[in-house]
Amino acid sequence: MTSTPTLGLHDLQAAEAKLLVQTYERYPLLFVSGSGVHLRDAHGTEYLDLLSGIGVCALGYNHPSITRAIAEQAPLLLHTSNLFFHRGTAELAARLTEITGMDRVFLCNSGTEAWEAALKLARAHAGLLRAEGKAIGTRFLALEHSFHGRTMGSVATTHKAKYREPFAPVMPDVHFVPFNDVEALRAAFSSDVCAIAIEPIQGEGGINSVSQAFLMAARELCDSTGALLILDEIQSGMGRTGKWCAYQHSNVLPDITTLAKPMAGGIPIGAMLCTDDAARAFTPGMHGTTFGGNPLACAVALAVIDEIIQSNLLEHVISTGEYFRAELRRLQSKYPAIVDVRGLGLMIGVELASEDLAKSVLSGMMERHILINRTHETVLRFLPPFLLAPGHVDHAVLALDQLLALQKQLEPSHSTTLTGASKLG
Ligand SMILES: *Cc1c(COP(=O)(O)O)cnc(C)c1O
């Protein structure tokens, strides 16, 4: 195994099947490099990437700003631990609080760690309120179809039974509320609740936007008892929807928000941001991380924020996203198999009539060298790099158009025929 670079896809498949804990079912594609919005496989074939590593590679691949930030920081300092100061932490925190409207930041290494910090802060904050004489409990309200990550607290607030039940007992005292059901939220809320947890746009759950009415009701309920509103922006944040945070499309501010995926364009980092009032609940030693906020991750996150600002990418995300959805709606008027087109900015979902259809369209797109993803069984998910141009949209929409036309021709026996014909190799 010393000649790793020469291993082909089949060698890697065999080695991984034997050596890795089997947590992933990978597509049989071996990528070796990328540039802009394209990935290149081991044969030199280019793929248009409309998924960006599940919303991570917001600046695409081999972006000069990111490569430069890594090259400049690497020879200076990669890590010091959180026992000492380094120059990146305060500078990144200043930028993050400025763009999100929050007061304070806790830096970590991933989405689930940011979410775990948020849950712990909410419990500690409720404890502080109780010590101050307020009646407030420990319960979390979360939403049906939510996804907040894979650690014990994160899965406890994640709705899907498959992610939660094998690990029982997970963190207790979580109650799930039907999506966008204001009355159910009001009915479930009481002084037992320490926080309401919401993704402003559910990602894994199928690209579902929380309504303004629901967000406002959650804010009002929290304000009535001192409970905290936690908004998970791990997938929707950092410009994905054309604002730094999706909640900025509304006039609701959370007490806590979480960021991660695109923060440093592929270098692992996460952040839990909160108000001064919520932050009172953590004192030195109560929470921490060895790697969190290290000099390399901070330098790259700063470069990503600068690039988004300097290249006006928020405006670009809004206009490209509008164009993309308009083109998808044009297809929807042609094909009844498209049930819904939804999302905001470059966080887009296309709901199809069946799981089989969604599967065959996904593999058809891959055969045409376009990478997308399927979530919540029937929803095609698009999370492209922010650099996506209208020409890339046209290319993807034409491919979808052709696949759906073919599908229509094959009806009603489409599921067997297309799935069988669309094996990747
Ligand atoms: C991906 C995701 C997480 C978990 O992030 P990881 O970095 O995978 O731990 C949490 N919440 C949301 C909304 C996500 O999309």
Side-chain angles (χ1 to χ4, degrees):
M1 297 286 287
T2 47
S3 55
T4 309
T6 63
L7 288 182
L9 178 61
H10 295 294
D11 307 309
L12 292 169
Q13 282 173 316
E16 287 203 358
K18 187 169 177 295
L19 296 169
L20 292 196
V21 177
Q22 296 295 299
T23 51
Y24 301 109
E25 233 176 324
R26 304 191 203 281
Y27 293 105
L29 294 173
L30 168 58
F31 291 116
V32 293
S33 66
S35 103
V37 299
H38 291 95
L39 279 166
R40 200 167 299 108
D41 73 10
H43 307 290
T45 305
E46 293 226 328
Y47 284 73
L48 173 62
D49 180 15
L50 302 182
L51 189 59
S52 49
I54 318 186
V56 168
C57 306
L59 300 184
Y61 299 93
N62 195 21
H63 194 285
S65 301
I66 292 183
T67 305
R68 193 181 319 118
I70 295 171
E72 284 176 5
Q73 187 59 44
L76 295 176
L77 204 55
L78 293 177
H79 178 82
T80 55
S81 87
N82 283 305
L83 298 174
F84 307 106
F85 288 89
H86 70 79
R87 291 214 165 93
T89 323
E91 198 185 337
L92 178 58
R95 304 301 297 278
L96 289 175
T97 52
E98 189 182 19
I99 63 180
T100 59
M102 296 286 97
D103 299 321
R104 288 176 184 271
V105 182
F106 171 80
L107 293 170
C108 52
N109 314 289
S110 67
T112 198
E113 279 176 78
W115 191 249
E116 206 72 22
L119 297 176
K120 286 175 77 176
L121 186 66
R123 282 272 174 85
H125 182 259
L128 200 62
L129 293 186
R130 280 194 297 278
E132 293 170 359
K134 269 199 154 177
I136 187 160
T138 56
R139 180 167 309 155
F140 288 98
L141 297 186
L143 296 197
E144 291 185 358
H145 311 303
S146 60
F147 180 85
H148 297 294
R150 304 293 198 151
T151 49
M152 280 292 191
S154 297
V155 291
T157 47
T158 289
H159 183 237
K160 202 177 204 169
K162 179 182 168 184
Y163 296 161
R164 187 162 35 85
E165 285 177 351
F167 311 107
V170 296
M171 178 184 75
D173 222 1
V174 179
H175 178 84
F176 292 100
V177 175
F179 188 74
N180 271 347
D181 187 335
V182 174
E183 266 176 47
L185 179 69
R186 288 190 193 282
F189 191 83
S190 71
S191 61
D192 290 339
V193 171
C194 70
I196 303 178
I198 299 174
E199 289 159 88
I201 304 178
Q202 291 184 332
E204 299 291 317
I207 315 292
N208 309 310
S209 295
V210 163
S211 69
Q212 174 74 12
F214 192 88
L215 263 189
M216 283 172 65
R219 181 68 276 174
E220 178 202 310
L221 289 167
C222 286
D223 289 342
S224 72
T225 64
L228 301 182
L229 176 61
I230 317 178
L231 296 182
D232 184 343
E233 296 269 3
I234 289 165
Q235 191 166 143
S236 56
M238 289 305 290
R240 171 63 56 197
T241 69
K243 301 259 190 195
W244 291 106
C245 290
Y247 62 72
Q248 291 163 334
H249 292 278
S250 76
N251 43 29
V252 169
L253 262 188
D255 301 288
I256 304 179
T257 190
T258 50
L259 295 171
K261 288 188 167 92
M263 264 186 85
I267 296 290
I269 187 171
M272 187 274 290
L273 298 104
C274 63
T275 60
D276 278 326
D277 175 61
R280 291 186 302 141
F282 273 173
T283 53
M286 276 176 74
H287 189 58
T289 154
T290 299
F291 292 114
N294 79 43
L296 181 72
C298 287
V300 178
L302 281 164
V304 168
I305 294 171
D306 281 345
E307 182 60 31
I308 291 173
I309 294 170
Q310 278 161 22
S311 298
N312 278 321
L313 288 179
L314 297 184
E315 280 170 39
H316 178 78
V317 163
I318 288 185
S319 60
T320 312
E322 275 171 5
Y323 177 63
F324 205 155
R325 276 189 305 283
E327 284 297 284
L328 291 166
R329 292 211 171 95
R330 187 174 59 72
L331 283 194
Q332 188 185 7
S333 64
K334 226 165 127 180
Y335 301 106
I338 300 184
V339 175
D340 193 21
V341 173
R342 53 185 183 249
L344 201 54
L346 287 175
M347 184 168 184
I348 298 175
V350 175
E351 186 177 340
L352 298 182
S354 75
E355 184 172 350
D356 278 348
L357 177 62
K359 277 184 184 164
S360 64
V361 169
L362 179 104
S363 36
M365 291 293 272
M366 284 197 182
E367 283 180 340
R368 287 163 168 75
H369 306 141
I370 300 170
L371 303 178
I372 59 171
N373 165 249
R374 186 174 61 91
T375 190
H376 206 65
E377 282 80 43
T378 56
V379 181
L380 303 178
R381 177 169 54 167
F382 300 80
L383 297 169
F386 299 175
L387 309 174
L388 195 76
H392 303 127
V393 172
D394 294 341
H395 181 67
V397 170
L398 180 63
L400 266 179
D401 196 345
Q402 290 168 349
L403 285 165
L404 289 165
L406 186 64
Q407 196 70 38
K408 212 169 168 178
Q409 262 176 32
L410 294 173
E411 269 166 11
S413 60
H414 64 258
S415 55
T416 44
T417 318
L418 244 198
T419 311
S422 59
K423 283 247 158 58
L424 286 161

